[in-house]
Amino acid sequence: MGMRAVEIPQFGIEHLRVAELPAPALPAGYVRIGVRAVSLNYRDYLVVTGSYNPKLPLPFVPCSDMAGEVLEVASGVTRWKPGDAVMGCFMPAWQTGPYEEPYAKSALGGAWPGVLAEQVSLPADGLVPMPPHLSFEEAATLPCAAVTAWNALVAQGPIKAGDTILLQGTGGVSLFALQIARLHGARVIITSSSDEKLERARALGAEGLINYKSTVDWDKRAKELNGGRGVDHVVEVGGVGTFEKSLNAVRGGGRISYIGVLTGIQGPINTAWILHKHLTIQGIYVGSRAMFEDLARAFALHRVKPVVDRVHRLGEIADALHYMSSGAHFGKLVIRAGS
Amino acid sequence: MGMRAVEIPQFGIEHLRVAELPAPALPAGYVRIGVRAVSLNYRDYLVVTGSYNPKLPLPFVPCSDMAGEVLEVASGVTRWKPGDAVMGCFMPAWQTGPYEEPYAKSALGGAWPGVLAEQVSLPADGLVPMPPHLSFEEAATLPCAAVTAWNALVAQGPIKAGDTILLQGTGGVSLFALQIARLHGARVIITSSSDEKLERARALGAEGLINYKSTVDWDKRAKELNGGRGVDHVVEVGGVGTFEKSLNAVRGGGRISYIGVLTGIQGPINTAWILHKHLTIQGIYVGSRAMFEDLARAFALHRVKPVVDRVHRLGEIADALHYMSSGAHFGKLVIRAGS
Amino acid sequence: MGMRAVEIPQFGIEHLRVAELPAPALPAGYVRIGVRAVSLNYRDYLVVTGSYNPKLPLPFVPCSDMAGEVLEVASGVTRWKPGDAVMGCFMPAWQTGPYEEPYAKSALGGAWPGVLAEQVSLPADGLVPMPPHLSFEEAATLPCAAVTAWNALVAQGPIKAGDTILLQGTGGVSLFALQIARLHGARVIITSSSDEKLERARALGAEGLINYKSTVDWDKRAKELNGGRGVDHVVEVGGVGTFEKSLNAVRGGGRISYIGVLTGIQGPINTAWILHKHLTIQGIYVGSRAMFEDLARAFALHRVKPVVDRVHRLGEIADALHYMSSGAHFGKLVIRAGS
Amino acid sequence: MGMRAVEIPQFGIEHLRVAELPAPALPAGYVRIGVRAVSLNYRDYLVVTGSYNPKLPLPFVPCSDMAGEVLEVASGVTRWKPGDAVMGCFMPAWQTGPYEEPYAKSALGGAWPGVLAEQVSLPADGLVPMPPHLSFEEAATLPCAAVTAWNALVAQGPIKAGDTILLQGTGGVSLFALQIARLHGARVIITSSSDEKLERARALGAEGLINYKSTVDWDKRAKELNGGRGVDHVVEVGGVGTFEKSLNAVRGGGRISYIGVLTGIQGPINTAWILHKHLTIQGIYVGSRAMFEDLARAFALHRVKPVVDRVHRLGEIADALHYMSSGAHFGKLVIRAGS
C-alpha cells in the first residue's frame, strides 16, 4: 500500500515533487504514524537547496517536525496504541541527559529521512504525547523550534523570574523563547525589522521592542531598555552577522545561546568580550525527549498556543519555503500532510 | 540621643518590654537606618522563649527582618544616601555564592542583636533597595521568609514551568513559595488545617488544596492530585513530624527543601526513601544578598505583594507572638516600628 | 541446554541451593553472556534473608553484579560480538541523565531476576566493556559499589583536589570511594573498628585514620584531623545509626551522600543541622550506564585495581554471605560463576 | 618613607623605569605588604605597550601578581598580622560566587594600579595565605595564571578523572592547567612548537605531545591521540587564530575555555560547530578569592610547585618582558621585588 510524500530529486526548491512511495517498514520497537501536520524550519530550506549537506543521497524526503496519529505498533511496543496523538522527536536517539555525538545521526530530515509524508515509522521512544489543547497543526511546530528554545532557556538556562532575555526577530525559535520566558516570569526585549511584528510580539508579552532597521545599534538600545545594564541572556539566532552586537548587549557573567545561522556561519568576530565579560556561550542543537516532555507539560498546564503563521497543503511546499525564505512570516509555517 | 527598642530581659513572652536605649553607633562602612517596620518569624518566637539559644546574652533585642529609611551613612559609604528606602539582609555577611559557616555569625536577632528598634546600624553591603511598589510594612516581610523560599525554589532549585511544588501550611515561607512558584509557571499543591485558608491560597494561585485534618494521608492525596505521580519538590517547613510524608509524596529523583522546625527537630525518620528514590534533601538557611536582590527584582517586575496578616505597634509585640504561635495567621505579621 | 544457577527457594541463607535451570531466552536487542564472576553486596544479604522484599516471587536468582563473556547476540544487536568481555549495569534501564522512577524496575537481583548463574541474558545497552587491565573477578565488583561511589563523589559531587572526604568503614562502597577520591586529588579520612584495616586503608591512600571503637566521637576526631573544620563530604553508608555524627562532622554548606542502611533505616535523627548548616543530603541509588562508562575509563587510565577480599565458588554462596554479614571482610567478595 | 616601583611613563617597554614613589596609603580595612616577588603575564606586556588600554592614565605601575609579607594592618583588620606571608588576588573585589561586572574595576595592574613595587596596600579580604611549601617567587606566579586555569577546569569545569584535556603551548596558564588536570586524574594532550618543551611537559605528566610546527593539523592529531574521539575540554589560550582548530578537536557536548588573545581577538571563525556539537564556550577572566583559596589548598596538599622559568630583578623588567614576548619561556617569569 503506498502513500504520498514530498521528495527532493535534485537540489532546488523548484525540483520538489509529490511522489507516490511505498509505506514505510515497521521494524521491532517502531510505531507507524499517520502524519497529520509537518512544520518547516530554516534548516529545511538549507536541506532542499543543498546548502545543508551537498552530499545528501537523493531522492530525499525533507523535514523533521511532525504530529500525527498512531496507526500501528510493532511487536514489543507497549507505550502506544493506535489512535494515540503523538509528536516526533527531532533526534529520536537523544532520550535524556547531556548531548552526545551519536545522537546527531538520528536527526530526522537531515542525517535520516524526513517526515514530509503521509506516513512515517519512528522508534517508540522517539515520540511524545500531544498536549490535549493543541491541534495537529499547532503540535507539529514544537519538535525543533520550541524544544530548542526550551533547551536554551530552561534546560541549559536556567532562567528565573526577573531575568531579561534578548530575542532576535520573530521566527519560530524567538517566538517560542518569548512564550517560554514569559512562563518563567522573565522580561523580554525583542528585535524586528517590522513595527507591525513588534506590536504582535508585544501582544505575546514582549516588553522591550526594537526595530533594528531604524535602530541599527540595537545592542545599545537593549541595554538602555534594561536600565543601562546588559541583558542576562541573548538567544542568538542570527549567527555571525549579529554575534558581536550580542556580545555587547549581554551583561558580564551572562549567557548567549548560540543557535542560528541566518546570517551565515563564517565571519570576523571580536572575541575579547567572551573572556573579559566571563561569558558562557552555549551551542544549542534542539534537545532531548526529556526536554520535549517537560516543554509539553508546561505548555499543557498553561495552555500555551504556538504561533502558526500559515497552513499549506502538501503540494504547496515550494510556496511555503519561498515564503519562509522571504522572512515575511511571524511564527511557524505548517504543511497539512494528511488527506 | 536615645531610641525605643523591644528587649528580652529574661526569656518568656511575658517579660518583653519596650526600653529606651542609646542610638546605635555608626562604624566605618555602616549605615544608620530609621526602622519603619519589622516582620516576625517563628524563629523570633523561639528566641524570645529561650528555645533557640538558652545562652543568649540578655537583655537582647530580637527580630531579623526590617525595612526602613537611611538616616546617615558613615564615611566611605557610597552606595546609600539619607532618604533611601532599604531592607536589611538576614545575614549581612552572606553576600553571594554558596553558604559558608562564618556567615551565620552575622545573623540578625540571633547571633547578632536584632532590629526591633527605632534605629539600627548595619553594614552598607547588608542592605537591599526596597522595591518601589511596596510599603515599609510589606517590604519588612521579605528578608527571612521570602529569601528562604527563593533560595529553596530558585537558587538551589531550579524550578521550571510545569513543575509541581508541594507546600505545607500557610505561614510566611509557604505563601512566598506559592507566589514564587507561580511566577515561574509551576503548579502548587498546598496543605492547611483550614478550608478557609485553603480558599485564600487558591486565590493566590494554588491549584491543589488539601485539608490535612480531614485528609490525614495528605502525601497520598498530593500524588493523586498530581496524576498519580510524586511531586517534583516539597518545601518542608514542618520538620520531623511531617518529613516521612514528604519523603513519600516526592517523586523519584525529586527534591525536598528542609527548612522548618515547627513540629520539632528530633524524631524517628524512615530514611530508606532518601536513597531508593535518589532524592536531594537541601537544607535552606535563608540566603545571600544576591538572592535577595534577585527576588526583589522579580517581585518589582511583577508587582508581587506579600501577604500581611496583621500590623501591630511596637508595644504589642507580645500579642503578635502569641497570635503567631497560635497558628491562626495567614501570611506575615508585622510590627510598625517607627513613631 | 541447561545451566547452573543459585536460587532462593525460601528466604534464609540456609535454603540457598545450586539448581539446574534452562538457559535464559534471548529476545530481540538482548545479549547472552557467559557469567564468569559475580560480586556480592549487602543488598544481596537482605534479599536472601527476606528483609529486602518479603514479597519477592520465589524461587529467585539473587545478585546484581556480573562480569562475563558475550556468547551470542540477538538480531539487531551491533554493539557486541561473541567473545567481548563485559560488565552488567545494575539498572540496565538507566542509561544517562538524572534518575527517574521507572529505572528501578530494571534493577537486577531485586526488581528483576539476578545474575548468580552460569548464563544471563541482558539488554545490549545495559552492558559496559570491561577495562582491559582487570580480571573477571575484579571487574565483577564494579557495577553496584563502584558506580555508587562514583555517582556520590563525581557525578553528583563534584569532588575536587584538596577536598576532604570522610568515609565509614572498609566495605565495598567506602574503599571504592577512597580510590576515586584519591584519583581526584582529595584527602580521605576513614573509620574502622580495626586498626589493621585502617593500616590497609592507609596503604590505599587514606590520610586520616579513626578507630571508631577506641574513638567513639569519630565525628569530632574527623574535624580535628581536618584542622578543626568540618569535612567537605561524608559518604554515609551506616544509615540512621551514624547519620547524626555525619551531620556533625560535615562543614557548613557541605554534602552528605546517603547510601547505606547497615545500621537500619529508622531511628531518631536530630535534623536541625540540615538547615542550619545549609547541607545537601543526596540519596544515591547506584548510577547510570554513562556513569559506569566514565568510571571504567578512569579506572582503565590509572589502572586502578578493586580490592577483592576473597573469591568463592558458586556452591559456597552461603559461606560468602555469612562472611559478609560478619563484617570481617575488607573490600569485595566475589563468586566465580563459570566452570 | 619612600619605596621603589616600576613605572610606565609612556607606552613602550623601552620607557619603563624604576622610580622612587611615596609608600602607599593605608585606608581602613587595608593591609600594607612588603612585596617580595611579582610574576609577569602576557597582559602586562599588552599594558606596557599600550595595546591593553591606550587611555591608561600615565605614569602607571604595572603587574597584577604578587607575593609578600604583611608589614602593617589598618584598624579593624583582624585576618592578618605583620609577618604573614600572603598572595594578592587579581580582582580583590571578586570574593566568591559567579562573576559580576563591577569586580573588573578592581583588577590590579589594569583598572587599578599594579604591584611592581616594593610595597603595596590591598584590601584585607583581597589576600590569600601563602601555601607553606612555596617560596615567594613561586607563590607570586599563582594569582592570575593558576587561578585562571583552576577556574576553567575546576570551578567552571567540572573536570573528572579520565577526562582528556587539550592544552596549547607551554605558557603559564597551560602549565598550571596541566598540573591541575593531573591532580584530578585527567589525561593531558599538549601542543608546542618545540620538541624540547614537549619533553618537559611530559615530565610534568602530559601524555599526548604534539609539535604544531611539524604537525600543522594538531586538531586531527589530538583526536587520534584520544582514540579517534574529540577531547572533553580545550583550554583555548591562542585566541582567534587557534579557535577553529579547537572547535574541531573537541567532542560533541564538550567544553572550550576561552582565555587567550595571543593570536589576536578578531578574525574569521566558522561557528557552525558551536551549535552542531552542542558546545559550551566559557570565557574565563581569572577567578574569585574562593577559587584561589581552593587552589592554594590543593597545591599545598600535593606540594605542587609552579614552573618558574627565570627570576629577574626589579631593574630587569624590560628584559623579562622582551623574553616573554619572544615565546621562548617555559612557565612563569618572576621579578624579585624586594631588596
Side-chain angles (χ1 to χ4, degrees), chain A residues 144-196:
Chain A
C144 180
V147 175
T148 295
W150 183 270
N151 186 0
L153 293 180
V154 184
Q156 301 294 320
I159 195 173
K160 63 181 179 302
D163 280 353
T164 298
I165 315 293
L166 175 57
L167 304 176
Q168 300 171 339
T170 56
V173 170
S174 292
L175 290 189
F176 281 122
L178 165 50
Q179 293 176 306
I180 291 165
R182 293 300 295 160
L183 276 190
H184 292 83
R187 274 178 81 227
V188 169
I189 299 174
I190 195 164
T191 67
S192 174
S193 62
S194 151
D195 287 340
E196 186 232 329

Side-chain angles (χ1 to χ4, degrees), chain D residues 225-301:
Chain D
L225 291 173
N226 197 33
R229 287 166 292 107
V231 304
D232 297 290
H233 195 150
V234 182
V235 180
E236 171 63 65
V237 300
V240 291
T242 47
F243 191 45
E244 273 203 23
K245 281 193 157 53
S246 296
L247 288 171
N248 186 46
V250 73
R251 69 166 167 83
R255 196 174 284 265
I256 298 177
S257 288
Y258 200 91
I259 293 172
V261 295
L262 291 176
T263 63
I265 56 170
Q266 182 142 16
I269 294 176
N270 184 324
T271 58
W273 280 130
I274 298 176
L275 73 121
H276 277 126
K277 286 176 127 175
H278 212 280
L279 301 179
T280 300
I281 318 292
Q282 54 192 22
I284 299 291
Y285 187 33
V286 196
S288 67
R289 177 174 65 96
M291 295 176 201
F292 197 174
E293 288 180 343
D294 284 344
L295 161 77
R297 181 176 72 158
F299 272 34
L301 176 62

Side-chain angles (χ1 to χ4, degrees), chain B residues 94 99 101 151 244 251-253 258-259 265-271 274-276 278-283 285, chain C residues 94 99 101 151 244 251-253 258-259 265-271 274-276 278-283 285:
Chain B
W94 189 1
Y99 177 76
E101 263 167 22
N151 186 359
E244 273 202 23
R251 71 167 167 81
Y258 201 90
I259 293 173
I265 57 171
Q266 182 141 16
I269 294 175
N270 184 322
T271 58
I274 297 177
L275 73 119
H276 277 126
H278 213 279
L279 300 179
T280 300
I281 317 291
Q282 54 191 24
Y285 187 32
Chain C
W94 189 0
Y99 178 75
E101 263 166 23
N151 186 1
E244 273 202 24
R251 70 166 168 83
Y258 200 91
I259 293 172
I265 57 171
Q266 182 140 16
I269 293 175
N270 184 324
T271 58
I274 298 177
L275 73 121
H276 276 127
H278 213 280
L279 301 179
T280 299
I281 317 293
Q282 53 192 24
Y285 187 33

Side-chain angles (χ1 to χ4, degrees), chain C residues 65-114:
Chain C
D65 291 16
M66 177 277 307
E69 209 174 318
V70 171
L71 300 177
E72 184 184 359
V73 302
S75 68
V77 173
T78 55
R79 292 185 65 187
W80 309 105
K81 59 177 195 308
D84 286 346
V86 296
M87 306 173 292
C89 292
F90 180 88
M91 284 181 253
W94 189 0
Q95 293 287 303
T96 183
Y99 178 75
E100 295 183 25
E101 263 166 23
Y103 300 152
K105 291 177 197 148
S106 74
L108 301 178
W112 202 254

Side-chain angles (χ1 to χ4, degrees), chain A residues 94 99 101 151 244 251-253 258-259 265-271 274-276 278-283 285, chain D residues 94 99 101 151 244 251-253 258-259 265-271 274-276 278-283 285:
Chain A
W94 189 1
Y99 178 76
E101 263 167 22
N151 186 0
E244 273 203 24
R251 69 167 168 83
Y258 200 91
I259 294 173
I265 56 171
Q266 182 141 16
I269 293 176
N270 184 322
T271 58
I274 297 177
L275 74 120
H276 277 126
H278 213 279
L279 300 180
T280 300
I281 317 292
Q282 54 193 24
Y285 187 32
Chain D
W94 189 2
Y99 177 75
E101 262 166 25
N151 186 1
E244 273 203 23
R251 69 166 167 83
Y258 200 91
I259 293 172
I265 56 170
Q266 182 142 16
I269 294 176
N270 184 324
T271 58
I274 298 176
L275 73 121
H276 277 126
H278 212 280
L279 301 179
T280 300
I281 318 292
Q282 54 192 22
Y285 187 33

Side-chain angles (χ1 to χ4, degrees), chain D residues 147 158 232 329:
Chain D
V147 174
D232 297 290
H329 59 295

